[in-house]
Amino acid sequence: MATPSHHHSTTTQPPLPNFLASVKLKYVKLGYHYLMAHLLTLCLLPLLAVTAVHLSQLNLDDFEKLYIHLQYNLITVITLSGVIILGSTAYLMTRPRTIYLVDYSCYRAPDHLSVQFDRFMERSKQHGGFDESALEFQRKILERSGLGEETYLPAALHEIPPAPSMAAARQEAEDVMFGALENLFKSTKISPKDIGILVVNCSLFNPTPSLSSMIVNKYKLRGNIKTFNLGGMGCSAGVIAVDLAKDMLQVHRNTYAVVVSMENITQNWYFGNNKSMLIPNCLFRVGGAAVLLSNKPTDKRGSKYKLLHTVRTHCGSDDTAFNCVYQEQDNTRKTGVSLSKDLMAIAGGALKANITTLGPLVLPISEQLLFFASLITRRISDAKTKPYIPDFKLAFDHFCIHAGGRAVIDELEKNLQLSEAHVEPSRMTLYRFGNTSSSSIWYELAYTEAKGRMKKGNRVWQIAFGSGFKCNSAVWEAIRAVKPSESNPWADCIHKFPVEIRA
């Protein structure tokens, strides 16, 4: 999701709302609804602990008396055994399967597609469709965007004049999807024939046959594969795709799921002069990721992460939220994606709802007690004091904040009280690769791995925003100390980062 972080020339953008100002109790209740789903398991733990303590205190004479007693109560023994077997079977059949992230791959475009700022501005001038005001606006956005000069645009937009077409858009999609998948299959040694579930997400390019069908055709995937193609769901669709794959893996046993997240720029470049539609031109760049998920217990040893939680928040029932990222035609009938001046405020509200739902699932009990004590105090005393905001740094070791724009990263750093180190992967991803839409959270995770920071047991929070309006989160736990894959997009340049980004 692009953010109108520097649209100062027309209207002043409201800042992201301060999360310390208010927290709605209904979202906290929703979070505890998720927690209560595991209530049975939590209730059984004390019973098992008490039983273990009692068993540890028995001696040989006690066991001998118990054996003699059971000999004369055969019906009781058979009944108890049957109950235990049925209970164990029911538990094993109904418990959620652990979802493992075996590996993932991020696409890196060839160097000849990189776009320096001067080349970007030169191509914009040569096009002839932008007036002086639009050109100056784009120049200012580039300077303040947080992007570097090694990001990538598709080949069709490097031509003079730009030559977007259906064929060129298909070529971009194939380059990104197949490039990421080739690296994934190479690093995991997985045969494409073993894939049982395929989920592809791309918001603005949805050809017929679908993108998922293009992958099936390319790799000759099996005929009974379950395929899904998600369109129009914005930059948070990567988490939605993971959530869908997770649900499918709960139903279909012993199989693999592949998630492909990307955006397509070729046919979605805006050639008009509406400034609210020009911002995506300056921020969105070529990128994509392919992720291999598994529900096979045997894959635990070779996997990188296990999925702990996915939390999805949708604010689309509100008209302002629904319209804040909107694809439409301007007054000259040129198509683009318009970004509302309310976008930052909407993003703040969606994020607040998401984190207060996620909090009860991930925060230590000490933080939850302080938080609820604050809420109860406020409700009883009707005080106007600020509620206690939990410290999410106690729940997560690494943060992958969607690199949608510099302003959102800045505001999340401030409101969640994160350090520069916590937001470094997001800033560097925005700088090196630009806004790669739903795949940006995977470039950020790859950055953390390339820096050697991912230790066994570390928890990762991926959070992204998308049109609609949505805010979605995924939480992963490292199964081992994770080393970067051979295809890591930062492999040959990680020593240059972090870099200082000009104000």
Coordinates of all heavy atoms in Angstrom, one line a residue, residues 114-159:
S114 N 17.2 -1.3 -13.2 CA 17.3 -0.4 -12.0 C 16.9 1.0 -12.6 O 17.2 1.4 -13.7 CB 18.6 -0.4 -11.4 OG 19.6 0.0 -12.2
V115 N 16.4 1.9 -11.7 CA 15.9 3.2 -12.1 C 16.5 4.2 -11.2 O 16.1 4.3 -10.0 CB 14.4 3.2 -12.2 CG1 13.8 2.8 -10.9 CG2 13.9 4.6 -12.5
Q116 N 17.5 5.0 -11.6 CA 18.0 6.2 -10.9 C 17.0 7.3 -11.0 O 16.2 7.4 -11.9 CB 19.3 6.6 -11.4 CG 20.5 5.6 -11.2 CD 20.4 4.4 -12.1 OE1 20.0 4.6 -13.3 NE2 20.9 3.2 -11.7
F117 N 17.1 8.2 -10.0 CA 16.1 9.3 -10.0 C 16.2 10.2 -11.3 O 15.2 10.6 -11.8 CB 16.4 10.2 -8.8 CG 16.0 9.5 -7.5 CD1 16.4 10.1 -6.3 CD2 15.3 8.3 -7.4 CE1 16.0 9.5 -5.1 CE2 15.0 7.7 -6.2 CZ 15.3 8.3 -5.0
D118 N 17.4 10.4 -11.7 CA 17.5 11.3 -12.9 C 16.9 10.6 -14.2 O 16.3 11.2 -15.0 CB 19.0 11.7 -13.2 CG 19.9 10.5 -13.3 OD1 19.5 9.4 -13.1 OD2 21.1 10.8 -13.7
R119 N 17.1 9.3 -14.2 CA 16.5 8.6 -15.4 C 15.0 8.6 -15.2 O 14.3 8.7 -16.2 CB 17.0 7.1 -15.4 CG 16.5 6.3 -16.6 CD 16.9 4.9 -16.5 NE 18.3 4.7 -16.7 CZ 19.0 3.5 -16.7 NH1 18.3 2.4 -16.5 NH2 20.3 3.5 -16.8
F120 N 14.5 8.4 -14.0 CA 13.1 8.4 -13.8 C 12.5 9.8 -14.3 O 11.5 9.8 -15.0 CB 12.8 8.2 -12.3 CG 11.3 8.2 -11.9 CD1 10.6 7.0 -11.8 CD2 10.6 9.4 -11.7 CE1 9.3 7.0 -11.4 CE2 9.3 9.4 -11.4 CZ 8.6 8.2 -11.2
M121 N 13.1 10.9 -13.9 CA 12.6 12.2 -14.2 C 12.7 12.4 -15.8 O 11.9 13.0 -16.4 CB 13.3 13.3 -13.5 CG 13.0 13.2 -12.0 SD 11.2 13.3 -11.6 CE 10.7 14.8 -12.4
E122 N 13.8 11.9 -16.3 CA 14.1 12.1 -17.7 C 13.0 11.4 -18.6 O 12.4 11.9 -19.5 CB 15.4 11.6 -18.1 CG 15.8 11.7 -19.6 CD 17.1 11.1 -20.0 OE1 17.8 10.7 -19.0 OE2 17.4 11.0 -21.2
R123 N 12.7 10.1 -18.2 CA 11.6 9.4 -18.9 C 10.3 10.1 -18.7 O 9.5 10.1 -19.7 CB 11.5 7.9 -18.3 CG 12.8 7.1 -18.6 CD 12.9 6.7 -20.0 NE 13.9 5.7 -20.2 CZ 15.2 6.0 -20.4 NH1 15.6 7.3 -20.5 NH2 16.1 5.0 -20.6
S124 N 10.0 10.6 -17.5 CA 8.7 11.3 -17.3 C 8.6 12.5 -18.2 O 7.5 12.8 -18.8 CB 8.6 11.7 -15.8 OG 8.6 10.6 -15.0
K125 N 9.7 13.3 -18.4 CA 9.7 14.4 -19.3 C 9.5 14.0 -20.7 O 8.7 14.6 -21.5 CB 10.9 15.2 -19.1 CG 11.1 16.0 -17.7 CD 12.4 16.7 -17.6 CE 12.6 17.4 -16.3 NZ 13.9 18.0 -16.2
Q126 N 10.2 13.0 -21.1 CA 10.1 12.5 -22.5 C 8.8 12.0 -22.9 O 8.4 12.0 -24.1 CB 11.2 11.4 -22.7 CG 12.6 12.0 -22.7 CD 13.7 10.9 -22.8 OE1 13.4 9.7 -22.5 NE2 14.9 11.2 -23.2
H127 N 8.0 11.5 -21.9 CA 6.7 11.0 -22.2 C 5.8 12.1 -22.7 O 5.0 11.9 -23.7 CB 6.1 10.4 -20.9 CG 4.7 9.9 -21.2 ND1 3.5 10.7 -20.8 CD2 4.2 8.8 -21.7 CE1 2.5 10.0 -21.1 NE2 2.8 8.9 -21.7
G128 N 5.9 13.3 -22.2 CA 5.2 14.5 -22.6 C 3.8 14.6 -22.1 O 3.1 15.6 -22.4
G129 N 3.3 13.7 -21.3 CA 2.0 13.7 -20.7 C 1.9 14.4 -19.4 O 0.8 14.7 -18.9
F130 N 3.0 14.7 -18.7 CA 3.0 15.3 -17.4 C 3.3 16.8 -17.6 O 4.2 17.2 -18.3 CB 4.1 14.7 -16.5 CG 3.9 13.2 -16.3 CD1 4.8 12.3 -16.9 CD2 2.9 12.7 -15.6 CE1 4.7 11.0 -16.7 CE2 2.7 11.4 -15.4 CZ 3.6 10.5 -15.9
D131 N 2.5 17.6 -16.9 CA 2.8 19.1 -16.9 C 3.9 19.4 -15.9 O 4.4 18.5 -15.1 CB 1.5 19.9 -16.6 CG 0.9 19.6 -15.3 OD1 1.6 19.2 -14.3 OD2 -0.4 19.7 -15.2
E132 N 4.3 20.7 -15.9 CA 5.5 21.0 -15.0 C 5.1 20.8 -13.5 O 6.0 20.4 -12.7 CB 5.8 22.5 -15.2 CG 6.5 22.8 -16.6 CD 7.8 22.0 -16.7 OE1 8.5 21.9 -15.6 OE2 8.1 21.5 -17.8
S133 N 3.9 21.1 -13.1 CA 3.5 20.9 -11.7 C 3.6 19.4 -11.3 O 4.1 19.1 -10.2 CB 2.1 21.4 -11.5 OG 1.7 21.2 -10.2
A134 N 3.2 18.5 -12.2 CA 3.2 17.1 -11.9 C 4.7 16.6 -11.9 O 5.0 15.7 -11.0 CB 2.4 16.3 -13.0
L135 N 5.5 17.1 -12.8 CA 6.9 16.7 -12.8 C 7.6 17.1 -11.5 O 8.4 16.4 -10.9 CB 7.6 17.3 -14.0 CG 7.2 16.7 -15.4 CD1 7.8 17.5 -16.5 CD2 7.7 15.3 -15.5
E136 N 7.3 18.4 -11.1 CA 8.0 18.9 -9.8 C 7.5 18.1 -8.6 O 8.2 17.8 -7.7 CB 7.6 20.4 -9.7 CG 8.2 21.0 -8.4 CD 9.7 21.0 -8.3 OE1 10.4 20.7 -9.4 OE2 10.3 21.2 -7.2
F137 N 6.2 17.7 -8.6 CA 5.6 16.9 -7.5 C 6.3 15.6 -7.5 O 6.7 15.1 -6.4 CB 4.1 16.8 -7.8 CG 3.4 16.0 -6.7 CD1 3.2 16.5 -5.5 CD2 3.0 14.7 -7.0 CE1 2.5 15.8 -4.5 CE2 2.4 13.9 -6.0 CZ 2.2 14.4 -4.8
Q138 N 6.5 14.9 -8.6 CA 7.2 13.6 -8.6 C 8.6 13.7 -8.1 O 9.1 12.9 -7.4 CB 7.1 13.0 -10.0 CG 5.7 12.6 -10.4 CD 5.7 12.0 -11.8 OE1 6.0 10.8 -12.0 NE2 5.4 12.8 -12.8
R139 N 9.3 14.8 -8.5 CA 10.7 15.0 -8.0 C 10.7 15.1 -6.5 O 11.6 14.5 -5.9 CB 11.3 16.2 -8.7 CG 12.7 16.5 -8.4 CD 13.2 17.8 -8.9 NE 12.6 18.9 -8.3 CZ 12.9 19.4 -7.0 NH1 13.9 18.8 -6.4 NH2 12.3 20.4 -6.5
K140 N 9.8 15.9 -5.9 CA 9.8 16.0 -4.5 C 9.5 14.7 -3.8 O 10.1 14.4 -2.7 CB 8.8 17.1 -4.1 CG 9.2 18.5 -4.5 CD 8.2 19.6 -4.0 CE 8.6 21.0 -4.4 NZ 7.6 22.0 -4.0
I141 N 8.5 14.0 -4.3 CA 8.2 12.7 -3.7 C 9.4 11.8 -3.7 O 9.7 11.1 -2.7 CB 7.0 12.0 -4.5 CG1 5.7 12.8 -4.3 CG2 6.8 10.6 -4.0 CD1 5.2 12.7 -2.9
L142 N 10.1 11.7 -4.8 CA 11.3 10.8 -4.9 C 12.3 11.2 -3.9 O 12.9 10.4 -3.2 CB 11.9 10.9 -6.3 CG 11.2 10.2 -7.5 CD1 11.8 10.5 -8.8 CD2 11.1 8.7 -7.2
E143 N 12.5 12.5 -3.7 CA 13.6 13.0 -2.8 C 13.2 12.7 -1.3 O 14.1 12.4 -0.5 CB 13.8 14.5 -2.9 CG 14.4 14.9 -4.3 CD 14.5 16.4 -4.4 OE1 13.9 17.1 -3.6 OE2 15.1 16.9 -5.4
R144 N 11.9 12.6 -1.0 CA 11.5 12.4 0.4 C 11.0 11.0 0.6 O 10.6 10.7 1.8 CB 10.4 13.4 0.7 CG 10.8 14.9 0.5 CD 9.6 15.8 0.6 NE 9.9 17.2 0.3 CZ 9.0 18.1 0.2 NH1 7.7 17.8 0.3 NH2 9.3 19.4 -0.1
S145 N 11.0 10.2 -0.4 CA 10.3 8.9 -0.3 C 11.0 7.9 0.6 O 10.4 7.0 1.1 CB 10.2 8.3 -1.7 OG 11.4 8.0 -2.2
G146 N 12.3 8.0 0.8 CA 13.1 7.0 1.4 C 13.6 5.9 0.5 O 14.2 4.9 0.9
L147 N 13.3 6.0 -0.8 CA 13.8 5.1 -1.8 C 15.2 5.5 -2.2 O 15.6 6.6 -2.3 CB 12.9 5.1 -3.1 CG 11.7 4.1 -3.1 CD1 10.7 4.5 -2.1 CD2 11.1 4.0 -4.5
G148 N 16.0 4.4 -2.5 CA 17.3 4.6 -3.1 C 17.2 4.6 -4.6 O 16.1 4.6 -5.2
E149 N 18.4 4.5 -5.3 CA 18.4 4.6 -6.7 C 18.8 3.3 -7.4 O 19.3 3.2 -8.5 CB 19.4 5.7 -7.1 CG 19.1 7.0 -6.6 CD 19.7 8.2 -7.3 OE1 19.7 8.2 -8.5 OE2 20.2 9.1 -6.6
E150 N 18.5 2.2 -6.6 CA 18.8 0.8 -7.2 C 17.5 0.0 -7.3 O 17.5 -1.2 -7.5 CB 19.8 0.1 -6.4 CG 21.2 0.7 -6.4 CD 22.1 -0.1 -5.5 OE1 22.2 0.2 -4.3 OE2 22.9 -0.9 -6.1
T151 N 16.3 0.6 -7.2 CA 15.1 -0.1 -7.3 C 14.8 -0.4 -8.7 O 15.5 0.1 -9.6 CB 13.9 0.7 -6.7 OG1 13.8 2.0 -7.4 CG2 14.2 1.0 -5.2
Y152 N 13.8 -1.2 -9.0 CA 13.5 -1.7 -10.4 C 12.2 -1.3 -10.9 O 11.2 -1.4 -10.2 CB 13.7 -3.2 -10.4 CG 15.0 -3.7 -9.8 CD1 15.1 -4.2 -8.5 CD2 16.2 -3.6 -10.5 CE1 16.3 -4.7 -8.0 CE2 17.4 -4.0 -10.0 CZ 17.4 -4.6 -8.7 OH 18.6 -5.0 -8.2
L153 N 12.1 -1.0 -12.2 CA 10.9 -0.9 -12.9 C 10.9 -1.9 -14.1 O 11.9 -2.3 -14.6 CB 10.7 0.6 -13.5 CG 10.4 1.7 -12.5 CD1 10.4 3.0 -13.2 CD2 9.0 1.4 -11.8
P154 N 9.7 -2.3 -14.5 CA 9.6 -3.3 -15.6 C 10.2 -2.8 -16.9 O 10.2 -1.5 -17.1 CB 8.1 -3.6 -15.7 CG 7.4 -2.4 -15.1 CD 8.3 -1.9 -14.0
A155 N 10.5 -3.7 -17.8 CA 11.2 -3.3 -19.0 C 10.3 -2.4 -19.9 O 10.9 -1.4 -20.5 CB 11.5 -4.6 -19.8
A156 N 9.0 -2.5 -19.9 CA 8.2 -1.7 -20.8 C 8.2 -0.3 -20.4 O 8.0 0.6 -21.2 CB 6.7 -2.2 -20.7
L157 N 8.5 0.1 -19.1 CA 8.6 1.4 -18.7 C 9.9 2.1 -18.9 O 10.1 3.2 -18.6 CB 8.1 1.5 -17.2 CG 6.7 1.1 -16.9 CD1 6.3 1.2 -15.5 CD2 5.7 1.9 -17.8
H158 N 10.9 1.2 -19.3 CA 12.2 1.8 -19.6 C 12.3 2.2 -21.1 O 13.3 2.9 -21.5 CB 13.3 0.7 -19.3 CG 13.7 0.6 -17.9 ND1 14.6 1.4 -17.3 CD2 13.2 -0.2 -16.9 CE1 14.7 1.1 -16.0 NE2 13.8 0.1 -15.7
E159 N 11.4 1.8 -21.9 CA 11.4 2.1 -23.3 C 11.0 3.6 -23.5 O 10.4 4.2 -22.6 CB 10.4 1.2 -24.0 CG 10.8 -0.3 -24.0 CD 9.9 -1.1 -24.9 OE1 9.3 -0.5 -25.8 OE2 9.8 -2.3 -24.6

